[in-house]
Amino acid sequence: MTDRADLVHSAPWALTPPYNTYDPRLHRQSGEPADHARHRILALKVATLPEPLDGLELTDYERQVLSWIGCWETHTVAVLAALLRRARRA
């Protein structure tokens, strides 16, 4: 059974459930330099995709591809991570 919070019904506001809740970590903070914010947000997105695969053996190439996908638009990363989480539980 899928938890309703794990479903993405519209453009997500967060990388992790609940996706319809605003996540301030995905936005530049007051006084934060733009370059720092971009790097911090990118690191969050890149870390989001391997998390649902914890415990699975991943090759270096698979990790590289996940890192590349983590550079995509935040909404895309959140949806892929949601699908990975649900597939893992299925």
Side-chain angles (χ1 to χ4, degrees), residues 9-49:
H9 295 281
S10 60
W13 292 11
L15 291 170
T16 56
Y19 297 101
N20 63 347
T21 301
Y22 175 79
D23 186 348
R25 299 174 310 150
L26 296 175
H27 302 278
R28 185 175 172 194
Q29 304 303 304
S30 178
E32 182 180 29
D35 281 350
H36 184 268
R38 276 193 297 276
H39 286 95
R40 181 181 52 74
I41 294 165
L42 177 61
L44 283 171
K45 292 182 347 178
V46 167
T48 296
L49 291 172

Side-chain angles (χ1 to χ4, degrees), residues 8-89:
V8 182
H9 295 281
S10 60
W13 292 11
L15 291 170
T16 56
Y19 297 101
N20 63 347
T21 301
Y22 175 79
D23 186 348
R25 299 174 310 150
L26 296 175
H27 302 278
R28 185 175 172 194
Q29 304 303 304
S30 178
E32 182 180 29
D35 281 350
H36 184 268
R38 276 193 297 276
H39 286 95
R40 181 181 52 74
I41 294 165
L42 177 61
L44 283 171
K45 292 182 347 178
V46 167
T48 296
L49 291 172
E51 181 267 322
L53 304 174
D54 188 40
L56 293 178
E57 181 179 355
L58 296 176
T59 66
D60 288 340
Y61 183 72
E62 290 167 334
R63 289 185 187 283
Q64 288 174 356
V65 170
L66 289 173
S67 292
W68 171 66
I69 294 170
C71 296
W72 292 1
E73 181 181 280
T74 301
H75 299 141
T76 303
V77 173
V79 170
L80 288 173
L83 291 169
L84 289 172
R85 283 185 185 89
R86 293 197 330 253
R88 182 74 187 262
R89 282 196 306 270

